[in-house]
Amino acid sequence: MNPRKLTKAVVAAAAALTLSFSLAACGGDSGNGSSGDEEKITVGIKYDQPGVGLKTPDGTYTGFDVDVATYVAQQLGREPGDIEWKEAKSADRETMLERGDVDFIAASYSINDQREEKVDFAGPYLLAHQDVLIRADDNSITKPEDLNNKKLCSVTGSTSAQNVKDKIAPDAQLQEYGGYSECLTGLENGVIDAVTTDDAILAGYASQPEFEGKFKLGGFEMSNENYGIGVQEGSELKEQINDALEKMVADGSWDAAVKKNFGPAEYQNEPAPEVGVVVK
């Protein structure tokens, strides 16, 4: 066995042993990702992605990821009021799981090989595609290659903009901001030419009342983004969450959540993906 595989095996065994003693439906000690309160479960989400994960001014949480996480938590024996939400910025997600700051993360978290070196994923629960958001009156970007020499914004920790530069538009001028809201402000003010991330996220922004009529989706399917729920490496929560996701699809709750959160933007979502199958 090579050193990497041996390390993962040891970590998985240790984590499973810890869970067997400290978790009863995921509510154990704070060192394994929970809040330390047996009645609580701690979940990482995005706070600034309308339609996906959003903390509203009145302190409530909305979005598809929020609905998925709430359903999963209920299947793990927790009511909505037992959920402690934490902001999971793109650059912080692996660290939050490794440190045990959260039980799981549902934050437009695309499964990829690099991330799987550090954490485990349940799911996927949504198949999105990388796209761009541009100003409604901008006719200069009609295909991905038109992003050459354009100022392209994404957020720190996301791979979206770099993927475009590496594979499609090598002369794109990458701009990294702390959050998508900042990218949208730059786009609105003409400082940025395009914002790139997953179509589900972009559709959520474009459908907001304050942005109505200002932006449009490019309609480019530049990648497959398999949204997964991140858990600490070796956590037995992975299988429990997978079971919950399968039930969510089977009982119609998944379709209802899609319609509720993406319907107003006329987002053409893919069917529910098969749990355990990552589309490359």
Side-chain angles (χ1 to χ4, degrees), residues 59-97:
T60 59
Y61 303 89
T62 66
F64 183 70
D65 282 352
V66 175
D67 289 344
V68 170
T70 300
Y71 186 97
V72 167
Q74 289 179 304
Q75 295 303 307
L76 295 173
R78 298 295 185 268
E79 294 303 315
D82 298 326
I83 301 173
E84 179 183 346
W85 303 103
K86 284 192 176 183
E87 184 175 18
K89 294 183 177 180
S90 294
D92 299 335
R93 291 175 297 200
E94 285 85 50
T95 301
M96 291 177 72
L97 288 168

Coordinates of all heavy atoms in Angstrom, one line a residue, residues 59-97:
G59 N -32.2 37.7 8.8 CA -31.5 36.6 9.5 C -32.0 35.2 9.2 O -31.6 34.2 9.9
T60 N -32.8 35.0 8.2 CA -33.3 33.7 7.8 C -32.4 33.3 6.6 O -31.6 34.0 6.0 CB -34.7 33.7 7.3 OG1 -34.9 34.7 6.2 CG2 -35.6 34.1 8.5
Y61 N -32.5 32.0 6.2 CA -31.7 31.4 5.2 C -32.5 30.8 4.1 O -33.5 30.0 4.4 CB -30.8 30.3 5.8 CG -29.9 30.9 7.0 CD1 -30.4 30.9 8.3 CD2 -28.7 31.5 6.7 CE1 -29.6 31.4 9.3 CE2 -27.9 32.0 7.7 CZ -28.4 32.0 9.0 OH -27.6 32.5 10.0
T62 N -32.2 31.0 2.9 CA -33.0 30.5 1.8 C -32.1 30.0 0.7 O -30.9 30.3 0.6 CB -33.8 31.7 1.1 OG1 -33.0 32.7 0.5 CG2 -34.7 32.3 2.2
G63 N -32.6 29.2 -0.2 CA -31.9 28.7 -1.4 C -32.0 27.1 -1.5 O -32.4 26.4 -0.5
F64 N -31.6 26.6 -2.6 CA -31.7 25.2 -2.9 C -30.8 24.4 -1.9 O -31.2 23.4 -1.4 CB -31.3 24.9 -4.3 CG -31.4 23.5 -4.7 CD1 -32.6 22.9 -4.9 CD2 -30.2 22.7 -5.0 CE1 -32.7 21.5 -5.2 CE2 -30.3 21.4 -5.3 CZ -31.5 20.8 -5.5
D65 N -29.5 24.9 -1.7 CA -28.6 24.2 -0.8 C -29.2 24.2 0.6 O -29.1 23.2 1.3 CB -27.3 24.9 -0.8 CG -26.4 24.5 -2.0 OD1 -26.8 23.6 -2.8 OD2 -25.3 25.1 -2.2
V66 N -29.8 25.3 1.0 CA -30.4 25.3 2.3 C -31.6 24.3 2.5 O -31.7 23.6 3.5 CB -31.0 26.8 2.6 CG1 -31.7 26.8 3.9 CG2 -29.8 27.8 2.6
D67 N -32.4 24.2 1.4 CA -33.5 23.2 1.5 C -33.0 21.8 1.5 O -33.5 20.9 2.2 CB -34.4 23.4 0.3 CG -35.2 24.7 0.4 OD1 -35.3 25.3 1.5 OD2 -35.8 25.2 -0.6
V68 N -31.9 21.5 0.7 CA -31.3 20.2 0.7 C -30.7 19.9 2.1 O -30.9 18.8 2.6 CB -30.2 20.1 -0.4 CG1 -29.4 18.8 -0.2 CG2 -30.8 20.1 -1.8
A69 N -30.0 20.8 2.6 CA -29.3 20.6 3.9 C -30.4 20.4 5.0 O -30.2 19.6 5.9 CB -28.4 21.8 4.3
T70 N -31.5 21.2 5.0 CA -32.5 21.0 6.0 C -33.2 19.7 5.9 O -33.4 19.0 6.9 CB -33.6 22.1 5.8 OG1 -33.0 23.4 5.9 CG2 -34.7 22.0 6.8
Y71 N -33.4 19.2 4.6 CA -34.0 17.9 4.5 C -33.1 16.8 5.0 O -33.5 15.9 5.7 CB -34.3 17.6 3.0 CG -35.0 16.3 2.7 CD1 -36.4 16.3 2.5 CD2 -34.3 15.1 2.6 CE1 -37.1 15.1 2.3 CE2 -35.0 13.9 2.4 CZ -36.3 13.9 2.2 OH -37.0 12.7 2.0
V72 N -31.8 16.9 4.7 CA -30.8 15.9 5.2 C -30.7 15.9 6.7 O -30.7 14.9 7.3 CB -29.4 16.2 4.6 CG1 -28.3 15.4 5.3 CG2 -29.4 15.9 3.1
A73 N -30.7 17.1 7.3 CA -30.7 17.2 8.7 C -31.9 16.6 9.4 O -31.7 15.9 10.4 CB -30.6 18.7 9.2
Q74 N -33.0 16.7 8.8 CA -34.2 16.1 9.3 C -34.1 14.6 9.2 O -34.6 13.9 10.2 CB -35.5 16.6 8.6 CG -35.8 18.0 8.9 CD -37.1 18.5 8.2 OE1 -37.1 18.5 6.9 NE2 -38.0 19.0 8.9
Q75 N -33.6 14.0 8.2 CA -33.4 12.6 8.0 C -32.3 12.1 9.1 O -32.3 10.9 9.4 CB -32.9 12.2 6.6 CG -34.0 12.5 5.6 CD -35.3 11.8 5.8 OE1 -35.3 10.6 6.0 NE2 -36.4 12.6 5.9
L76 N -31.5 13.0 9.5 CA -30.5 12.6 10.5 C -31.0 12.9 12.0 O -30.3 12.8 12.9 CB -29.2 13.4 10.3 CG -28.4 13.2 9.0 CD1 -27.3 14.2 8.9 CD2 -27.9 11.7 9.0
G77 N -32.3 13.2 12.0 CA -32.9 13.4 13.4 C -32.9 14.7 13.9 O -33.2 14.9 15.1
R78 N -32.7 15.8 13.1 CA -32.7 17.1 13.6 C -33.8 17.9 12.9 O -34.0 17.8 11.7 CB -31.4 17.8 13.3 CG -30.2 17.1 14.0 CD -30.3 17.3 15.5 NE -29.1 16.7 16.2 CZ -29.0 15.5 16.6 NH1 -30.0 14.6 16.4 NH2 -28.0 15.1 17.3
E79 N -34.5 18.8 13.6 CA -35.5 19.7 13.1 C -34.8 21.0 12.6 O -33.7 21.3 13.0 CB -36.5 20.0 14.2 CG -37.4 18.8 14.6 CD -38.1 18.2 13.4 OE1 -38.7 18.9 12.6 OE2 -38.0 16.9 13.3
P80 N -35.5 21.7 11.8 CA -34.9 23.0 11.3 C -34.4 23.9 12.3 O -33.3 24.5 12.2 CB -36.1 23.6 10.5 CG -36.9 22.5 10.0 CD -36.8 21.5 11.1
G81 N -35.1 24.0 13.5 CA -34.6 24.8 14.6 C -33.3 24.3 15.2 O -32.7 25.0 16.0
D82 N -33.0 23.1 15.0 CA -31.8 22.5 15.6 C -30.5 22.7 14.7 O -29.4 22.3 15.1 CB -31.9 21.0 15.8 CG -33.1 20.6 16.7 OD1 -33.3 21.4 17.7 OD2 -33.7 19.6 16.5
I83 N -30.7 23.4 13.6 CA -29.6 23.6 12.7 C -28.9 24.9 13.0 O -29.5 26.0 13.1 CB -30.0 23.6 11.2 CG1 -30.7 22.3 10.8 CG2 -28.8 23.9 10.3 CD1 -31.3 22.4 9.4
E84 N -27.6 24.8 13.2 CA -26.7 26.0 13.3 C -26.0 26.3 12.0 O -25.2 25.4 11.6 CB -25.7 25.8 14.5 CG -24.8 27.0 14.7 CD -23.7 26.8 15.7 OE1 -23.9 25.8 16.5 OE2 -22.8 27.6 15.8
W85 N -26.3 27.3 11.3 CA -25.8 27.6 10.0 C -24.5 28.4 10.2 O -24.3 29.3 11.0 CB -26.7 28.5 9.2 CG -28.1 27.8 9.0 CD1 -29.2 28.2 9.6 CD2 -28.4 26.8 8.1 NE1 -30.3 27.4 9.1 CE2 -29.8 26.5 8.2 CE3 -27.6 26.0 7.2 CZ2 -30.4 25.5 7.5 CZ3 -28.3 25.0 6.4 CH2 -29.6 24.8 6.6
K86 N -23.5 28.1 9.4 CA -22.2 28.8 9.3 C -21.9 29.1 7.9 O -22.1 28.3 7.0 CB -21.1 27.9 10.0 CG -21.1 27.9 11.5 CD -19.8 27.3 12.0 CE -19.8 27.3 13.5 NZ -18.5 26.8 14.1
E87 N -21.3 30.3 7.7 CA -20.9 30.7 6.4 C -19.7 29.9 5.9 O -18.7 29.8 6.6 CB -20.6 32.2 6.3 CG -20.2 32.6 4.9 CD -20.0 34.1 4.8 OE1 -19.8 34.8 5.8 OE2 -20.1 34.6 3.6
A88 N -19.8 29.3 4.7 CA -18.7 28.5 4.2 C -18.2 29.1 2.9 O -18.8 28.8 1.8 CB -19.1 27.0 4.0
K89 N -17.3 30.0 3.0 CA -16.8 30.7 1.8 C -16.0 29.7 1.0 O -15.4 28.7 1.5 CB -15.9 31.9 2.1 CG -16.7 33.0 2.7 CD -15.8 34.2 3.0 CE -16.6 35.4 3.6 NZ -15.8 36.6 3.8
S90 N -15.8 29.9 -0.3 CA -15.2 28.9 -1.2 C -13.8 28.5 -0.7 O -13.4 27.4 -0.7 CB -15.1 29.5 -2.6 OG -16.4 29.6 -3.2
A91 N -13.0 29.5 -0.3 CA -11.6 29.3 0.1 C -11.5 28.6 1.4 O -10.4 28.1 1.8 CB -10.9 30.6 0.1
D92 N -12.6 28.5 2.2 CA -12.5 28.0 3.6 C -13.1 26.6 3.8 O -13.0 26.0 4.8 CB -13.3 29.0 4.5 CG -12.7 30.4 4.5 OD1 -11.5 30.5 4.2 OD2 -13.4 31.3 4.8
R93 N -13.7 26.1 2.7 CA -14.6 24.9 2.9 C -13.8 23.6 3.4 O -14.2 23.0 4.4 CB -15.3 24.5 1.7 CG -16.4 25.6 1.4 CD -17.1 25.3 0.0 NE -16.2 25.4 -1.1 CZ -16.6 25.7 -2.4 NH1 -17.9 25.8 -2.6 NH2 -15.8 25.7 -3.3
E94 N -12.6 23.3 2.8 CA -11.9 22.2 3.2 C -11.3 22.4 4.6 O -11.4 21.4 5.5 CB -10.7 21.9 2.3 CG -11.1 21.3 0.9 CD -11.5 22.3 -0.1 OE1 -10.8 23.3 -0.3 OE2 -12.6 22.2 -0.7
T95 N -10.9 23.6 4.9 CA -10.4 23.9 6.3 C -11.4 23.7 7.3 O -11.2 23.1 8.4 CB -9.8 25.3 6.3 OG1 -8.7 25.4 5.4 CG2 -9.2 25.6 7.7
M96 N -12.6 24.2 7.0 CA -13.7 24.0 8.0 C -14.0 22.6 8.3 O -14.3 22.2 9.5 CB -15.0 24.7 7.5 CG -14.9 26.3 7.4 SD -16.4 27.0 6.7 CE -17.6 26.8 8.0
L97 N -14.0 21.7 7.3 CA -14.3 20.3 7.5 C -13.1 19.7 8.3 O -13.3 18.9 9.2 CB -14.5 19.6 6.2 CG -15.8 19.9 5.5 CD1 -15.9 19.4 4.1 CD2 -17.0 19.4 6.3

